[in-house]
Coordinates of all heavy atoms in Angstrom, one line a residue:
M1 N 0.8 -1.2 0.0 CA 0.0 0.0 0.0 C 0.9 1.2 0.0 O 0.6 2.2 -0.7 CB -0.9 0.0 1.2 CG -1.7 1.3 1.3 SD -2.8 1.5 2.8 CE -1.6 1.7 4.1
W2 N 1.9 1.3 0.9 CA 2.7 2.5 0.9 C 3.5 2.8 -0.4 O 3.6 4.0 -0.8 CB 3.7 2.4 2.1 CG 3.0 2.6 3.4 CD1 2.7 1.5 4.3 CD2 2.4 3.7 3.9 NE1 2.0 2.1 5.4 CE2 1.8 3.4 5.1 CE3 2.4 5.0 3.4 CZ2 1.1 4.3 5.9 CZ3 1.7 6.0 4.2 CH2 1.1 5.6 5.4
I3 N 3.9 1.8 -1.1 CA 4.6 2.0 -2.4 C 3.6 2.6 -3.4 O 4.0 3.5 -4.2 CB 5.1 0.7 -2.9 CG1 6.3 0.2 -1.9 CG2 5.6 0.8 -4.3 CD1 6.9 -1.1 -2.3
A4 N 2.3 2.1 -3.3 CA 1.3 2.7 -4.3 C 1.1 4.2 -3.9 O 1.0 5.0 -4.8 CB 0.0 1.9 -4.1
I5 N 1.0 4.5 -2.6 CA 0.8 5.9 -2.2 C 1.9 6.8 -2.6 O 1.8 7.8 -3.1 CB 0.5 6.0 -0.7 CG1 -0.9 5.4 -0.4 CG2 0.5 7.4 -0.2 CD1 -1.3 5.2 1.0
I6 N 3.2 6.3 -2.5 CA 4.4 7.1 -2.9 C 4.4 7.2 -4.3 O 4.7 8.3 -4.9 CB 5.6 6.3 -2.4 CG1 5.7 6.4 -0.8 CG2 6.9 6.9 -2.9 CD1 6.7 5.6 -0.2
A7 N 4.0 6.2 -5.1 CA 4.0 6.3 -6.6 C 2.9 7.3 -7.0 O 3.1 8.1 -8.0 CB 3.7 4.9 -7.2
I8 N 1.8 7.3 -6.4 CA 0.7 8.2 -6.7 C 1.1 9.6 -6.4 O 0.9 10.5 -7.2 CB -0.6 7.8 -6.0 CG1 -1.2 6.6 -6.5 CG2 -1.7 8.9 -6.0 CD1 -2.3 6.0 -5.7
F9 N 1.8 9.8 -5.3 CA 2.3 11.1 -4.9 C 3.3 11.6 -5.9 O 3.3 12.8 -6.3 CB 2.9 11.1 -3.5 CG 3.3 12.4 -3.0 CD1 2.5 13.4 -2.6 CD2 4.7 12.8 -3.0 CE1 2.8 14.7 -2.2 CE2 5.1 14.0 -2.6 CZ 4.1 15.0 -2.1
A10 N 4.2 10.7 -6.4 CA 5.2 11.1 -7.4 C 4.6 11.5 -8.6 O 5.0 12.5 -9.4 CB 6.3 10.0 -7.5
A11 N 3.6 10.7 -9.1 CA 2.9 11.1 -10.4 C 2.1 12.4 -10.2 O 1.9 13.2 -11.1 CB 1.9 9.9 -10.7
G12 N 1.6 12.6 -8.9 CA 0.9 13.9 -8.6 C 1.8 15.1 -8.8 O 1.3 16.2 -9.3
I13 N 3.1 15.0 -8.5 CA 4.0 16.1 -8.7 C 4.2 16.3 -10.2 O 4.2 17.5 -10.6 CB 5.4 15.7 -8.0 CG1 5.3 15.7 -6.5 CG2 6.5 16.7 -8.5 CD1 6.5 15.1 -5.7
G14 N 4.2 15.3 -11.0 CA 4.3 15.4 -12.4 C 3.0 16.1 -12.9 O 3.1 16.9 -13.8
N15 N 1.9 15.6 -12.5 CA 0.6 16.2 -12.9 C 0.5 17.7 -12.5 O 0.0 18.5 -13.4 CB -0.6 15.4 -12.3 CG -0.8 14.2 -13.0 OD1 -0.5 14.0 -14.2 ND2 -1.3 13.1 -12.3
F16 N 1.0 18.1 -11.3 CA 1.0 19.5 -11.0 C 1.9 20.3 -11.9 O 1.6 21.4 -12.3 CB 1.3 19.7 -9.5 CG 0.1 19.6 -8.6 CD1 -0.3 18.5 -8.0 CD2 -0.7 20.8 -8.5 CE1 -1.4 18.4 -7.2 CE2 -1.8 20.7 -7.6 CZ -2.1 19.6 -7.0
A17 N 3.0 19.8 -12.3 CA 4.0 20.4 -13.1 C 3.4 20.6 -14.5 O 3.5 21.7 -15.1 CB 5.3 19.7 -13.2
M18 N 2.8 19.6 -15.1 CA 2.1 19.6 -16.4 C 1.0 20.7 -16.3 O 0.8 21.5 -17.3 CB 1.6 18.3 -16.8 CG 2.6 17.4 -17.3 SD 2.1 15.9 -18.0 CE 1.7 14.9 -16.5
H19 N 0.2 20.7 -15.2 CA -0.9 21.6 -15.0 C -0.5 23.0 -15.0 O -1.1 23.9 -15.6 CB -1.7 21.3 -13.7 CG -3.0 22.0 -13.6 ND1 -4.2 21.6 -14.2 CD2 -3.2 23.1 -12.9 CE1 -5.1 22.4 -13.8 NE2 -4.5 23.4 -13.1
R20 N 0.6 23.3 -14.3 CA 1.2 24.6 -14.2 C 1.6 25.1 -15.6 O 1.4 26.2 -16.0 CB 2.3 24.7 -13.2 CG 2.8 26.1 -13.1 CD 3.9 26.2 -12.0 NE 4.3 27.6 -11.9 CZ 5.3 28.0 -11.1 NH1 5.9 27.1 -10.3 NH2 5.6 29.2 -11.1
A21 N 2.3 24.2 -16.4 CA 2.7 24.6 -17.7 C 1.5 24.9 -18.5 O 1.6 25.8 -19.4 CB 3.6 23.4 -18.3
F22 N 0.5 24.1 -18.5 CA -0.8 24.4 -19.2 C -1.2 25.7 -18.9 O -1.6 26.6 -19.7 CB -1.9 23.4 -18.8 CG -2.0 22.2 -19.6 CD1 -2.1 20.9 -18.9 CD2 -2.0 22.3 -21.0 CE1 -2.3 19.7 -19.7 CE2 -2.1 21.0 -21.7 CZ -2.2 19.8 -21.1
M23 N -1.4 26.0 -17.5 CA -2.0 27.3 -17.0 C -1.1 28.6 -17.4 O -1.7 29.6 -17.6 CB -2.3 27.3 -15.6 CG -3.2 26.1 -15.2 SD -4.8 26.2 -16.0 CE -5.5 27.6 -15.2
E24 N 0.2 28.4 -17.5 CA 1.0 29.5 -17.8 C 1.2 29.7 -19.3 O 1.9 30.6 -19.7 CB 2.4 29.3 -17.0 CG 2.2 29.5 -15.6 CD 3.6 29.4 -14.8 OE1 4.5 29.1 -15.4 OE2 3.5 29.6 -13.6
S25 N 0.8 28.8 -20.1 CA 1.0 28.9 -21.5 C 0.0 29.9 -22.1 O -1.0 30.2 -21.5 CB 0.8 27.5 -22.3 OG -0.6 27.2 -22.3
D26 N 0.4 30.5 -23.2 CA -0.5 31.5 -23.9 C -1.3 30.8 -25.0 O -1.8 31.4 -25.9 CB 0.4 32.6 -24.4 CG 1.0 33.4 -23.4 OD1 0.4 33.5 -22.3 OD2 2.1 34.0 -23.6
D27 N -1.4 29.5 -24.9 CA -2.2 28.8 -25.9 C -3.6 29.1 -25.9 O -4.2 29.1 -24.8 CB -2.1 27.2 -25.7 CG -2.6 26.4 -26.8 OD1 -1.8 26.2 -27.8 OD2 -3.8 26.1 -26.8
P28 N -4.2 29.5 -27.1 CA -5.6 30.0 -27.1 C -6.6 28.9 -26.7 O -7.6 29.2 -26.1 CB -5.8 30.5 -28.5 CG -4.5 30.2 -29.3 CD -3.6 29.7 -28.4
L29 N -6.3 27.7 -27.1 CA -7.2 26.6 -26.6 C -7.3 26.5 -25.1 O -8.5 26.4 -24.6 CB -6.8 25.3 -27.3 CG -7.5 24.0 -26.9 CD1 -8.9 24.2 -27.6 CD2 -6.8 22.8 -27.5
I30 N -6.2 26.5 -24.4 CA -6.2 26.4 -23.0 C -6.9 27.7 -22.5 O -7.8 27.5 -21.5 CB -4.8 26.3 -22.5 CG1 -4.1 25.1 -22.9 CG2 -4.8 26.3 -20.9 CD1 -4.7 23.8 -22.6
Q31 N -6.6 28.9 -22.9 CA -7.3 30.0 -22.4 C -8.8 30.0 -22.6 O -9.6 30.5 -21.8 CB -6.6 31.2 -23.0 CG -5.2 31.5 -22.7 CD -5.0 31.6 -21.2 OE1 -5.7 32.2 -20.5 NE2 -3.9 31.0 -20.8
Q32 N -9.2 29.5 -23.7 CA -10.6 29.4 -24.1 C -11.3 28.4 -23.1 O -12.5 28.6 -22.7 CB -10.8 29.0 -25.5 CG -12.2 28.8 -26.0 CD -12.4 28.3 -27.3 OE1 -11.4 28.0 -28.0 NE2 -13.6 28.3 -27.8
M33 N -10.7 27.3 -22.7 CA -11.3 26.3 -21.8 C -11.3 26.8 -20.4 O -12.2 26.5 -19.7 CB -10.6 25.0 -22.0 CG -10.7 24.3 -23.3 SD -10.1 22.7 -23.4 CE -8.6 22.7 -22.4
V34 N -10.3 27.5 -20.0 CA -10.2 27.8 -18.6 C -10.8 29.1 -18.2 O -11.2 29.3 -17.1 CB -8.7 27.7 -18.2 CG1 -8.5 28.1 -16.8 CG2 -8.2 26.3 -18.3
R35 N -10.7 30.1 -19.1 CA -11.1 31.5 -18.7 C -12.6 31.5 -18.2 O -12.8 32.2 -17.2 CB -11.0 32.3 -19.9 CG -11.2 33.8 -19.6 CD -10.6 34.7 -20.5 NE -9.3 34.3 -20.9 CZ -8.3 35.0 -20.9 NH1 -8.4 36.3 -20.6 NH2 -7.0 34.7 -21.1
P36 N -13.6 30.9 -18.9 CA -14.9 31.0 -18.3 C -15.0 30.5 -16.8 O -15.7 31.1 -16.0 CB -15.8 30.1 -19.2 CG -15.0 30.1 -20.5 CD -13.6 30.1 -20.1
L37 N -14.4 29.4 -16.5 CA -14.4 28.8 -15.2 C -13.6 29.7 -14.2 O -14.1 30.0 -13.1 CB -13.8 27.4 -15.1 CG -13.7 26.7 -13.8 CD1 -15.2 26.4 -13.4 CD2 -13.0 25.4 -14.0
A38 N -12.6 30.2 -14.6 CA -11.7 31.1 -13.8 C -12.4 32.4 -13.4 O -12.3 32.9 -12.5 CB -10.3 31.4 -14.4
D39 N -13.1 32.9 -14.5 CA -13.9 34.1 -14.2 C -15.1 33.9 -13.2 O -15.3 34.9 -12.5 CB -14.5 34.6 -15.5 CG -13.4 35.2 -16.5 OD1 -12.3 35.5 -16.0 OD2 -13.7 35.3 -17.7
K40 N -15.7 32.8 -13.2 CA -16.8 32.5 -12.3 C -16.4 32.2 -11.0 O -17.0 32.7 -9.9 CB -17.7 31.4 -12.9 CG -18.5 31.8 -14.1 CD -19.3 30.7 -14.6 CE -20.0 31.0 -15.9 NZ -20.8 29.9 -16.5
V41 N -15.4 31.3 -10.8 CA -15.1 30.7 -9.5 C -13.8 31.3 -8.9 O -13.6 31.6 -7.7 CB -14.9 29.2 -9.6 CG1 -14.6 28.6 -8.3 CG2 -16.1 28.6 -10.2
G42 N -12.8 31.5 -9.7 CA -11.5 32.1 -9.3 C -10.3 31.5 -10.1 O -10.6 30.4 -10.7
P43 N -9.2 32.1 -10.2 CA -8.1 31.7 -11.1 C -7.5 30.3 -10.7 O -6.8 29.7 -11.4 CB -7.1 32.8 -11.1 CG -7.4 33.5 -9.7 CD -8.9 33.4 -9.5
H44 N -7.6 30.0 -9.4 CA -6.8 28.8 -8.9 C -7.8 27.6 -8.7 O -7.4 26.6 -8.0 CB -6.2 29.1 -7.6 CG -5.2 30.3 -7.8 ND1 -4.1 30.2 -8.6 CD2 -5.2 31.5 -7.2 CE1 -3.4 31.4 -8.5 NE2 -4.1 32.2 -7.7
I45 N -9.0 27.6 -9.2 CA -9.9 26.5 -9.0 C -9.5 25.3 -9.7 O -9.7 24.2 -9.1 CB -11.4 26.9 -9.4 CG1 -12.4 25.8 -9.0 CG2 -11.4 27.0 -10.9 CD1 -12.5 25.7 -7.5
T46 N -8.7 25.4 -10.8 CA -8.3 24.1 -11.4 C -7.2 23.5 -10.5 O -7.0 22.2 -10.6 CB -7.7 24.5 -12.8 OG1 -6.7 25.4 -12.7 CG2 -8.9 24.9 -13.7
Y47 N -6.4 24.2 -9.8 CA -5.5 23.6 -9.0 C -6.1 22.9 -7.8 O -5.6 21.8 -7.3 CB -4.5 24.6 -8.3 CG -3.5 25.2 -9.4 CD1 -3.8 26.5 -9.9 CD2 -2.4 24.4 -9.8 CE1 -2.9 27.0 -10.9 CE2 -1.6 25.0 -10.8 CZ -1.8 26.3 -11.2 OH -1.0 26.8 -12.2
V48 N -7.2 23.4 -7.3 CA -8.0 22.7 -6.3 C -8.5 21.4 -6.8 O -8.5 20.4 -6.1 CB -9.2 23.6 -5.8 CG1 -10.1 22.9 -4.9 CG2 -8.6 24.8 -5.1
F49 N -9.1 21.4 -8.0 CA -9.5 20.2 -8.6 C -8.4 19.1 -8.8 O -8.6 18.0 -8.5 CB -10.1 20.5 -10.0 CG -10.7 19.3 -10.7 CD1 -11.9 18.7 -10.3 CD2 -10.1 18.8 -11.9 CE1 -12.4 17.6 -10.9 CE2 -10.6 17.7 -12.5 CZ -11.8 17.0 -12.0
E50 N -7.2 19.6 -9.2 CA -6.0 18.7 -9.3 C -5.7 18.1 -8.0 O -5.4 16.9 -7.9 CB -4.9 19.5 -9.9 CG -3.7 18.6 -10.3 CD -3.9 17.9 -11.6 OE1 -4.5 18.4 -12.5 OE2 -3.4 16.7 -11.7
Y51 N -5.7 18.9 -7.0 CA -5.5 18.5 -5.6 C -6.4 17.4 -5.1 O -6.0 16.4 -4.5 CB -5.4 19.6 -4.6 CG -5.1 19.2 -3.2 CD1 -3.9 18.9 -2.8 CD2 -6.2 19.3 -2.3 CE1 -3.7 18.5 -1.4 CE2 -6.0 18.9 -1.0 CZ -4.8 18.5 -0.6 OH -4.6 18.2 0.7
L52 N -7.7 17.7 -5.3 CA -8.7 16.7 -4.9 C -8.6 15.4 -5.7 O -8.9 14.4 -5.1 CB -10.2 17.3 -5.2 CG -10.5 18.5 -4.3 CD1 -11.9 19.0 -4.7 CD2 -10.5 18.1 -2.8
L53 N -8.2 15.4 -6.9 CA -8.0 14.2 -7.7 C -6.8 13.4 -7.0 O -6.9 12.2 -6.8 CB -7.6 14.4 -9.1 CG -8.8 14.8 -10.0 CD1 -8.3 15.2 -11.4 CD2 -9.7 13.5 -10.2
L54 N -5.8 14.1 -6.6 CA -4.6 13.4 -6.0 C -5.0 12.8 -4.6 O -4.7 11.7 -4.4 CB -3.4 14.4 -5.8 CG -2.2 14.0 -5.0 CD1 -1.6 12.8 -5.8 CD2 -1.2 15.1 -4.9
V55 N -5.6 13.6 -3.8 CA -6.1 13.1 -2.5 C -7.1 11.9 -2.6 O -7.0 11.0 -1.9 CB -6.7 14.2 -1.7 CG1 -7.4 13.8 -0.4 CG2 -5.6 15.3 -1.3
G56 N -8.0 12.1 -3.6 CA -8.9 11.0 -3.8 C -8.2 9.7 -4.2 O -8.6 8.6 -3.8
A57 N -7.3 9.8 -5.1 CA -6.5 8.6 -5.5 C -5.8 8.0 -4.4 O -5.7 6.8 -4.2 CB -5.6 8.9 -6.7
M58 N -5.1 8.8 -3.5 CA -4.4 8.3 -2.4 C -5.4 7.7 -1.4 O -5.1 6.7 -0.7 CB -3.6 9.4 -1.7 CG -2.4 9.9 -2.6 SD -1.6 11.4 -2.0 CE -0.5 10.5 -0.9
A59 N -6.6 8.2 -1.3 CA -7.5 7.7 -0.3 C -8.1 6.3 -0.8 O -8.2 5.4 -0.1 CB -8.8 8.6 -0.2
I60 N -8.2 6.2 -2.1 CA -8.7 4.9 -2.7 C -7.5 3.9 -2.5 O -7.8 2.7 -2.2 CB -9.0 5.1 -4.2 CG1 -10.2 5.8 -4.4 CG2 -9.1 3.7 -5.0 CD1 -10.6 6.3 -5.8
A61 N -6.2 4.4 -2.7 CA -5.1 3.4 -2.5 C -5.0 2.9 -1.1 O -4.4 1.8 -0.9 CB -3.9 4.1 -2.9
T62 N -5.6 3.6 0.0 CA -5.5 3.0 1.3 C -6.5 1.8 1.4 O -6.2 1.0 2.3 CB -5.9 4.1 2.3 OG1 -7.2 4.6 2.1 CG2 -4.9 5.3 2.3
R63 N -7.5 1.8 0.6 CA -8.4 0.7 0.7 C -8.1 -0.5 -0.4 O -8.2 -1.7 0.0 CB -9.9 1.1 0.4 CG -10.4 2.2 1.2 CD -10.8 1.6 2.5 NE -11.4 2.6 3.3 CZ -12.0 2.4 4.5 NH1 -11.9 1.2 5.0 NH2 -12.4 3.3 5.2
N64 N -7.7 -0.1 -1.5 CA -7.4 -1.0 -2.6 C -6.3 -0.4 -3.4 O -6.5 0.4 -4.3 CB -8.6 -1.3 -3.5 CG -8.3 -2.4 -4.4 OD1 -7.2 -2.8 -4.7 ND2 -9.5 -2.9 -5.0
W65 N -5.0 -0.8 -3.1 CA -3.9 -0.1 -3.7 C -3.8 -0.2 -5.2 O -3.5 0.7 -5.9 CB -2.6 -0.5 -3.0 CG -2.2 -2.0 -3.3 CD1 -2.6 -3.1 -2.6 CD2 -1.5 -2.5 -4.4 NE1 -2.1 -4.2 -3.2 CE2 -1.5 -3.9 -4.3 CE3 -0.9 -1.9 -5.5 CZ2 -0.8 -4.8 -5.2 CZ3 -0.2 -2.7 -6.5 CH2 -0.2 -4.1 -6.3
F66 N -4.3 -1.4 -5.7 CA -4.1 -1.6 -7.2 C -5.1 -0.7 -7.9 O -4.7 -0.1 -8.9 CB -4.4 -3.1 -7.5 CG -4.2 -3.4 -8.9 CD1 -2.9 -3.5 -9.4 CD2 -5.3 -3.6 -9.7 CE1 -2.8 -3.8 -10.8 CE2 -5.1 -3.9 -11.1 CZ -3.8 -4.0 -11.6
T67 N -6.3 -0.6 -7.4 CA -7.3 0.3 -8.0 C -6.9 1.7 -8.1 O -6.9 2.4 -9.1 CB -8.7 0.1 -7.4 OG1 -9.0 -1.2 -7.4 CG2 -9.7 1.0 -8.0
G68 N -6.5 2.2 -6.9 CA -6.0 3.5 -6.8 C -4.8 3.9 -7.7 O -4.8 4.9 -8.4
L69 N -3.9 2.9 -7.8 CA -2.7 3.2 -8.6 C -3.0 3.1 -10.1 O -2.6 3.9 -10.9 CB -1.7 2.1 -8.3 CG -0.3 2.2 -8.9 CD1 0.4 3.5 -8.4 CD2 0.6 1.0 -8.5
M70 N -3.9 2.2 -10.5 CA -4.3 2.1 -11.9 C -5.2 3.4 -12.4 O -5.0 3.9 -13.4 CB -5.1 0.9 -12.2 CG -4.3 -0.4 -12.1 SD -3.0 -0.4 -13.4 CE -1.6 -0.3 -12.4
L71 N -6.1 3.8 -11.5 CA -6.9 4.9 -11.9 C -6.1 6.2 -12.0 O -6.2 6.9 -13.0 CB -8.0 5.1 -10.8 CG -9.1 4.1 -10.8 CD1 -10.1 4.3 -9.6 CD2 -9.9 4.2 -12.2
Y72 N -5.2 6.4 -11.0 CA -4.4 7.7 -11.1 C -3.4 7.5 -12.1 O -2.9 8.5 -12.8 CB -3.8 8.0 -9.8 CG -3.4 9.5 -9.6 CD1 -4.4 10.5 -9.6 CD2 -2.0 9.9 -9.7 CE1 -4.0 11.7 -9.5 CE2 -1.7 11.2 -9.6 CZ -2.7 12.1 -9.5 OH -2.3 13.5 -9.5
G73 N -2.9 6.3 -12.4 CA -1.9 6.0 -13.5 C -2.5 6.4 -14.9 O -1.9 6.9 -15.7
L74 N -3.8 5.9 -15.1 CA -4.5 6.2 -16.3 C -4.7 7.7 -16.5 O -4.5 8.3 -17.6 CB -5.7 5.5 -16.4 CG -5.7 3.9 -16.7 CD1 -7.1 3.3 -16.5 CD2 -5.2 3.7 -18.0
Y75 N -5.1 8.4 -15.4 CA -5.3 9.8 -15.4 C -3.9 10.4 -15.8 O -3.9 11.4 -16.6 CB -5.7 10.4 -14.1 CG -5.7 11.8 -14.0 CD1 -6.6 12.6 -14.7 CD2 -4.8 12.4 -13.2 CE1 -6.6 14.0 -14.6 CE2 -4.7 13.8 -13.1 CZ -5.6 14.6 -13.8 OH -5.5 15.9 -13.7
T76 N -2.8 10.0 -15.2 CA -1.5 10.6 -15.5 C -1.2 10.4 -17.1 O -0.6 11.3 -17.6 CB -0.4 10.1 -14.6 OG1 -0.8 10.3 -13.2 CG2 0.9 10.7 -14.8
I77 N -1.4 9.3 -17.5 CA -1.1 8.9 -18.9 C -1.8 9.8 -19.9 O -1.3 10.4 -20.8 CB -1.4 7.4 -19.2 CG1 -0.3 6.6 -18.6 CG2 -1.3 7.2 -20.7 CD1 -0.6 5.1 -18.5
F78 N -3.2 9.9 -19.6 CA -4.0 10.8 -20.4 C -3.6 12.3 -20.4 O -3.7 13.0 -21.2 CB -5.5 10.6 -20.2 CG -6.0 9.3 -20.7 CD1 -6.7 8.5 -19.8 CD2 -5.8 8.9 -22.0 CE1 -7.3 7.3 -20.3 CE2 -6.3 7.7 -22.5 CZ -7.0 6.9 -21.6
N79 N -3.3 12.7 -19.1 CA -2.8 14.1 -18.9 C -1.5 14.3 -19.7 O -1.3 15.3 -20.3 CB -2.6 14.3 -17.4 CG -2.5 15.7 -17.0 OD1 -2.9 16.6 -17.8 ND2 -2.0 16.0 -15.8
A80 N -0.6 13.4 -19.7 CA 0.7 13.5 -20.4 C 0.5 13.5 -21.9 O 1.0 14.3 -22.7 CB 1.6 12.4 -20.0
M81 N -0.6 12.8 -22.4 CA -0.8 12.8 -23.8 C -1.4 14.1 -24.3 O -1.1 14.7 -25.2 CB -1.7 11.7 -24.2 CG -1.1 10.3 -24.2 SD -2.1 8.8 -24.7 CE -3.7 9.2 -24.4
A82 N -2.3 14.6 -23.5 CA -2.9 15.9 -23.7 C -1.8 17.0 -23.7 O -1.8 17.9 -24.5 CB -4.1 16.2 -22.7
F83 N -1.0 17.0 -22.7 CA 0.0 17.9 -22.5 C 1.0 17.9 -23.7 O 1.3 19.0 -24.3 CB 0.9 17.6 -21.3 CG 2.1 18.5 -21.0 CD1 1.8 19.8 -20.5 CD2 3.3 18.1 -21.3 CE1 3.0 20.7 -20.3 CE2 4.4 19.0 -21.0 CZ 4.2 20.3 -20.6
S84 N 1.4 16.7 -24.1 CA 2.3 16.6 -25.3 C 1.6 17.2 -26.6 O 2.2 17.8 -27.4 CB 2.6 15.2 -25.5 OG 3.4 15.0 -26.6
W85 N 0.3 16.8 -26.7 CA -0.4 17.3 -27.9 C -0.5 18.8 -28.0 O -0.3 19.4 -29.0 CB -1.8 16.7 -28.0 CG -2.6 17.2 -29.1 CD1 -2.4 16.8 -30.4 CD2 -3.7 18.1 -29.0 NE1 -3.4 17.5 -31.2 CE2 -4.1 18.3 -30.4 CE3 -4.3 18.8 -28.0 CZ2 -5.2 19.0 -30.7 CZ3 -5.4 19.5 -28.4 CH2 -5.9 19.7 -29.7
V86 N -0.9 19.4 -26.9 CA -1.1 20.9 -26.8 C 0.2 21.6 -26.9 O 0.2 22.6 -27.7 CB -1.9 21.3 -25.5 CG1 -1.8 22.8 -25.2 CG2 -3.3 20.8 -25.5
M87 N 1.2 21.1 -26.3 CA 2.5 21.9 -26.3 C 3.2 21.7 -27.6 O 4.0 22.5 -27.9 CB 3.3 21.4 -25.2 CG 2.8 21.8 -23.8 SD 2.5 23.6 -23.7 CE 1.7 23.8 -22.2
H88 N 3.0 20.7 -28.4 CA 3.7 20.4 -29.6 C 2.8 20.6 -30.9 O 3.4 20.3 -32.0 CB 4.4 19.0 -29.6 CG 5.4 19.0 -28.5 ND1 5.1 18.2 -27.4 CD2 6.6 19.4 -28.4 CE1 6.2 18.2 -26.7 NE2 7.1 19.0 -27.2
R89 N 1.7 21.0 -30.8 CA 0.8 21.2 -32.0 C 1.2 22.4 -32.7 O 1.7 23.5 -32.1 CB -0.7 21.1 -31.7 CG -1.2 22.3 -30.9 CD -2.6 22.1 -30.5 NE -3.1 23.1 -29.7 CZ -3.7 24.2 -30.1 NH1 -4.1 24.3 -31.3 NH2 -4.1 25.1 -29.3
G90 N 1.1 22.5 -34.0 CA 1.4 23.6 -34.8 C 0.3 24.7 -34.8 O -0.9 24.4 -34.7
E91 N 0.7 25.9 -34.8 CA -0.3 27.0 -34.9 C -0.5 27.5 -36.3 O 0.3 27.6 -37.1 CB 0.3 28.2 -34.0 CG 0.2 27.9 -32.6 CD -1.1 27.9 -31.9 OE1 -2.0 28.6 -32.4 OE2 -1.2 27.2 -31.0

């Protein structure tokens, strides 16, 4: 269980780094998706959502380490694919 929680936490650090790069980019697609939510709720609401995903995955891992690790692992993989696509697409 502890190895799964440590792995989820390490992946969470990577997810937060990718999220910050998303938020600080001047990409029009990212700005179009985030701006309406940030105007209504606040500029840091997406970081709160990212944190809740991390804490939720760690909570699931305390009950069933394999499920928590696989769910957050899939989230990390899809996040990395989206990050790669957005940061390397041509304008």
Side-chain angles (χ1 to χ4, degrees):
M1 174 184 74
W2 287 107
I3 294 173
I5 290 175
I6 291 169
I8 290 170
F9 184 76
I13 292 170
N15 282 327
F16 270 96
M18 287 186 279
H19 188 85
R20 182 173 181 186
F22 270 134
M23 298 306 286
E24 291 180 355
S25 73
D26 292 332
D27 190 85
L29 179 64
I30 299 297
Q31 297 302 321
Q32 180 183 1
M33 289 187 326
V34 174
R35 189 163 311 230
L37 181 64
D39 289 343
K40 289 180 184 174
V41 183
H44 301 296
I45 190 65
T46 56
Y47 290 104
V48 172
F49 181 70
E50 189 78 37
Y51 176 75
L52 291 175
L53 283 172
L54 176 61
V55 170
M58 292 173 85
I60 291 171
T62 62
R63 301 283 183 176
N64 187 345
W65 67 269
F66 186 75
T67 303
L69 190 61
M70 287 298 111
L71 288 175
Y72 202 71
L74 286 172
Y75 169 71
T76 302
I77 289 169
F78 288 128
N79 197 19
M81 290 185 331
F83 177 76
S84 178
W85 177 72
V86 167
M87 295 301 170
H88 294 107
R89 69 187 174 96
E91 291 286 332

